[in-house]
Amino acid sequence: MNFVLAAGGTGGHMIPAHALAAELKRRGHGVMLLTDARGAKIPALFEDVPVHILPAGRLSKTPWGLLKGMRAVMAGRREAKGLYAKHKPHAVVGFGGYPAFPALLAASALGIPTVLHEQNAVLGRVNRLLAGKAKAIATANERVERMKARDRGKVVLVGNPVRDSIVRLGELPFPAFDDVAPLKLLVTGGSQGATVLGQVVPEGLGALNEGLRHRLQVVQQCRPDDIERVRETYKRLGIPAELSTYLQDMDAKLGEAHLMIGRAGASTIAELTAAGRPAILVPLPIATDDHQTANARELARAGGARMIPQPQFTPAALARQIEALADDPEALSNAASRALSVGRPRAAQDLADLVERIGEGEAPTLVGRVQSEQPAIGFAPAGAAA
């Protein structure tokens, strides 16, 4: 079969789409990606998949902004319809973000079935607009806020797909750590970076007790505008740190880490739980519908992460949390196990199963309660009673 994947231009949308594309290609299907210019520039994704950039606009609240956005959306819709005439997709899968909007509108206009994937614990704006037309809504969380009652019957819990190399980390032992071993930290603000991490983390590490501070090994992703300032701070504090603006080898860096410090984007949460790595999470306070706080909640409740709201994220608060974990070598290992316990490493396979069924014309029906370790998805033939 042929499938079109439509994703917005951030890593949070693009990474799960990339993981699904890899799984569908393994099964012998044709895959095309529709995105925007930002998405097409993210390194190491969709290198063996045709990528097409669609016009897309944000639907702002001002009359002029709304008109301008709708013009771009309708131009993207026309272009997508032309692509579908050639590619002939059996289904179109949307991963959220405004660049996915015209691709999914075009599919609905042509009677092509659509599947939405929601990575966050709050249904995104584009997915909310399109949920009524979708054949199925695949979610990464058991509870998703802002979901209309009429659409709940379409929901299938699959998890958030991550790359195979991340999943394999969860099958390996947690890196050895004791009271003399180096403490390896990974600091990342997601694909867009986070200035607050560059401001707080180096000073927080500098506030650790001397014995722990001298055992640190730090890998940190920085925004391009911040990297030189952060480098100078680490140099002043005498803490060795490897800095970059983009972590292309995230799987290797995460595999070596004892602890991650960063934002609570959906892909970050999925990678932490698939790999089994504990974290100190600082949700982005201006995220739409505060979805990063909702994302972090399940992992924090399970004991796999500690969540610090950004107003309370100070060097002293960070140092206290790190010392509490590092002073008890078993604490990190236990937190890693708890993170792994809420992971859904089969998310890519289960989402691929779902979109294949939709592409074949079958209607998805959730059977029983989906278990987080090994999701069970059942389907009823098209036309069967719900």
Side-chain angles (χ1 to χ4, degrees):
M1 291 186 284
N2 287 328
F3 295 98
V4 168
L5 311 188
T10 68
H13 301 303
M14 295 289 286
I15 289 173
H18 173 78
L20 175 62
E23 179 63 26
L24 291 173
K25 284 178 67 65
R26 269 195 294 271
R27 300 182 183 196
H29 302 307
V31 180
M32 174 189 288
L33 172 72
L34 302 185
T35 186
D36 63 358
R38 287 187 308 159
K41 291 178 181 177
I42 296 178
L45 298 182
F46 294 97
E47 293 176 339
D48 59 348
V49 170
V51 176
H52 193 90
I53 297 174
L54 279 187
R58 295 184 66 86
L59 305 181
S60 68
K61 295 180 180 179
T62 66
W64 171 245
L66 181 61
L67 177 61
K68 184 179 178 182
M70 284 306 302
R71 282 178 175 171
V73 167
M74 297 312 292
R77 178 178 177 268
R78 287 193 298 271
E79 196 165 324
K81 289 173 74 173
L83 289 169
Y84 297 162
K86 298 176 182 178
H87 190 68
K88 301 189 186 307
H90 292 77
V92 177
V93 187
F95 288 83
Y98 283 103
F101 195 29
L104 291 157
L105 287 177
S108 295
L110 294 173
I112 301 168
T114 61
V115 177
L116 305 181
H117 182 268
E118 180 53 62
Q119 304 90 46
N120 294 299
V122 180
L123 195 65
R125 288 179 178 175
V126 167
N127 282 349
R128 291 203 295 269
L129 290 170
L130 297 165
K133 296 286 188 180
K135 293 292 185 182
I137 304 171
T139 67
N141 297 272
E142 288 193 33
R143 293 199 291 184
V144 179
E145 300 172 18
R146 304 296 296 271
M147 181 84 69
K148 291 183 178 179
R150 71 178 188 197
D151 298 322
R152 294 190 185 280
K154 303 177 183 181
V155 172
V156 181
L157 175 64
V158 298
N160 195 10
V162 299
R163 291 163 284 192
D164 288 343
S165 56
I166 299 290
V167 172
R168 285 194 289 270
L169 296 177
E171 301 166 359
L172 301 174
F174 184 70
F177 180 73
D178 55 31
D179 55 5
V180 296
L183 176 61
K184 299 181 179 181
L185 303 179
L186 174 62
V187 186
T188 173
S191 63
Q192 305 301 304
T195 293
V196 69
L197 298 178
Q199 294 170 337
V200 173
V201 173
E203 298 292 351
L205 300 184
L208 295 171
N209 65 69
E210 186 176 0
L212 182 56
R213 189 171 69 249
H214 289 310
R215 294 162 53 201
L216 293 175
Q217 291 183 7
V218 181
V219 174
Q220 182 161 346
Q221 176 221 8
C222 303
R223 293 177 63 89
D225 293 345
D226 300 333
I227 192 166
E228 291 306 321
R229 175 181 54 79
V230 175
R231 182 173 284 116
E232 287 302 315
T233 304
Y234 276 120
K235 184 177 180 180
R236 170 174 57 82
L237 294 169
I239 297 173
E242 176 188 338
L243 307 181
S244 66
T245 57
Y246 185 80
L247 298 176
Q248 190 162 327
D249 57 341
M250 174 61 80
D251 49 356
K253 301 303 186 191
L254 189 60
E256 295 171 355
H258 295 107
L259 178 67
M260 197 282 284
I261 303 169
R263 291 300 196 193
S267 287
T268 296
I269 299 295
E271 290 178 347
L272 289 170
T273 57
R277 291 297 183 271
I280 295 173
L281 300 173
V282 187
L284 176 66
I286 61 170
T288 305
D289 301 316
D290 196 22
H291 68 256
Q292 288 205 2
T293 296
N295 289 346
R297 202 167 286 139
E298 180 184 20
L299 185 53
R301 286 173 176 166
R306 301 186 179 200
M307 183 165 55
I308 305 177
Q310 186 161 309
Q312 285 80 56
F313 185 56
T314 64
L318 177 62
R320 285 195 299 271
Q321 294 286 2
I322 294 174
E323 287 179 349
L325 288 166
D327 285 348
D328 179 5
E330 290 189 9
L332 281 172
S333 180
N334 289 339
S337 296
R338 293 182 179 188
L340 194 63
S341 73
V342 293
R344 297 180 177 91
R346 286 187 46 83
Q349 294 97 314
D350 290 332
L351 182 55
D353 289 346
L354 174 62
V355 301
E356 281 182 333
R357 293 291 188 180
I358 296 297
E360 291 168 353
E362 298 188 26
T365 302
L366 187 61
V367 178
R369 185 174 177 81
V370 178
Q371 299 299 314
S372 61
E373 290 82 9
Q374 195 164 14
I377 301 174
F379 299 92

